[in-house]
Amino acid sequence: MAVFELLYDWAFAVGVATGVLLVAVGLPAWRRSVFIYRLEGQIPQVLRVLSDAAAAGLDLKSAVEASASLALRPMAQVLRRVLSLTEMGGLTVEEAFWQVAKEVPSADFRRFALILIEAARSGARLPEVLNVAARSFATVVEFRQSVASQLRPYVALFYAVMVVYAVLADVLVYFLLPQLAKFTPPQAPVGGIQPYLLSRDTALRVLLISGGVGGVIGGLVVGRVVYGVARAGLLHGGISLILVTVLLWAPLWLGI
């Protein structure tokens, strides 16, 4: 019971600390999701650069070096990792690509690496193969970006719902409850039932718990729908919990 009493007395600190913990847990998954999204979006561009470099007569390693110098992050970092494995690890370009493909958590990047490896090993006309692959990947990336652009507003909607919840909770706690207290004079128990009006502190804590649970569940849903990984939504769940906690206690700090 002592633990629950402590949580009850330090509700604001517990709310903020829990939000920070959720952010810390969800941030790595969110960053990985963003990394994969950006990496896969840059595959068609890299394939075109590799195709042009191969058509100009460069070997595969030189083509990768040219692509690494022109690509944006995070693809540039991945290609430099491939080159470092060839220079420091003694691997061929094909072996280095497959090694990196096993390290990167992206099915599309593994397909990209497999196409590049098989085209280089088979002796096929590399520029033509890479150009066809670039068009295929471009279609997939365009579709996924279109879906992502349609889902992204749900993140803003999630935060809007949490802000509205906090504002309505403030109206209830700081305006309606005092008015109800004025119209509920103390009186003797009637039929063994003692009239009871919820106090402001109790109401704040109940609303904080309700908002926190709703924020975490909503964040998990947002993570699963928008990022494909529920854990990535814990970042938004934690931020929303901190936001609700601050908004619930802000009128108290302002002397309302």
Side-chain angles (χ1 to χ4, degrees), residues 3 132 148 200 224:
V3 174
V132 172
R200 182 182 65 183
R224 185 68 184 89

Side-chain angles (χ1 to χ4, degrees), residues 153-170 207 210-219 222 236 239-241 243-244 247-248:
Y154 287 99
V155 179
L157 178 62
F158 167 72
Y159 282 108
V161 169
M162 298 307 297
V163 170
V164 170
Y165 170 85
V167 171
L168 293 178
D170 285 343
L207 291 169
S210 301
V213 172
V216 172
I217 295 175
V222 167
H236 298 296
I239 295 175
S240 70
L241 178 55
L243 180 64
V244 168
L247 290 177
L248 285 176

Side-chain angles (χ1 to χ4, degrees), residues 64 68-71 73 75-85:
V64 174
S69 62
L70 296 174
R73 296 178 62 183
M75 181 60 79
Q77 295 173 313
V78 174
L79 294 179
R80 292 191 185 99
R81 168 67 175 158
V82 172
L83 294 172
S84 67
L85 288 176

Side-chain angles (χ1 to χ4, degrees), residues 43-253:
I43 289 177
Q45 177 187 3
V46 171
L47 281 170
R48 293 189 189 97
V49 174
L50 289 172
S51 176
D52 293 341
L58 298 179
D59 58 16
L60 184 57
K61 183 176 181 180
S62 300
V64 174
E65 291 175 348
S67 301
S69 62
L70 296 174
L72 301 174
R73 296 178 62 183
M75 181 60 79
Q77 295 173 313
V78 174
L79 294 179
R80 292 191 185 99
R81 168 67 175 158
V82 172
L83 294 172
S84 67
L85 288 176
T86 61
E87 296 172 359
M88 306 297 294
L91 301 178
T92 64
V93 177
E94 293 85 352
E95 293 171 342
F97 253 107
W98 191 242
Q99 178 65 35
V100 173
K102 291 189 291 185
E103 299 172 358
V104 176
S106 168
D108 279 348
F109 185 85
R110 284 193 289 273
R111 295 188 189 98
F112 157 67
L114 186 60
I115 290 172
L116 185 62
I117 292 169
E118 293 302 324
R121 288 178 176 175
S122 65
R125 294 189 58 81
L126 191 58
E128 288 79 0
V129 173
L130 297 181
N131 194 31
V132 172
R135 290 198 297 270
S136 300
F137 272 104
T139 302
V140 175
V141 168
E142 183 179 356
F143 172 75
R144 290 183 177 177
Q145 289 178 344
S146 175
V147 172
S149 64
Q150 296 176 10
L151 294 176
R152 198 169 293 117
Y154 287 99
V155 179
L157 178 62
F158 167 72
Y159 282 108
V161 169
M162 298 307 297
V163 170
V164 170
Y165 170 85
V167 171
L168 293 178
D170 285 343
V171 172
L172 172 65
V173 172
Y174 296 102
F175 295 98
L176 293 183
L177 283 183
Q179 295 299 321
L180 289 175
K182 295 178 181 179
F183 295 102
T184 311
Q187 51 184 319
V190 178
I193 300 176
Q194 174 68 47
Y196 177 76
L197 182 65
L198 196 65
S199 67
R200 182 182 65 183
D201 292 342
T202 303
L204 279 174
R205 288 158 175 79
V206 171
L207 291 169
L208 175 61
I209 294 173
S210 301
V213 172
V216 172
I217 295 175
L220 291 173
V221 173
V222 167
R224 185 68 184 89
V225 172
V226 178
Y227 303 106
V229 181
R231 186 175 178 179
L234 289 178
L235 171 70
H236 298 296
I239 295 175
S240 70
L241 178 55
I242 296 173
L243 180 64
V244 168
T245 305
V246 171
L247 290 177
L248 285 176
W249 264 261
L252 194 62
W253 300 333

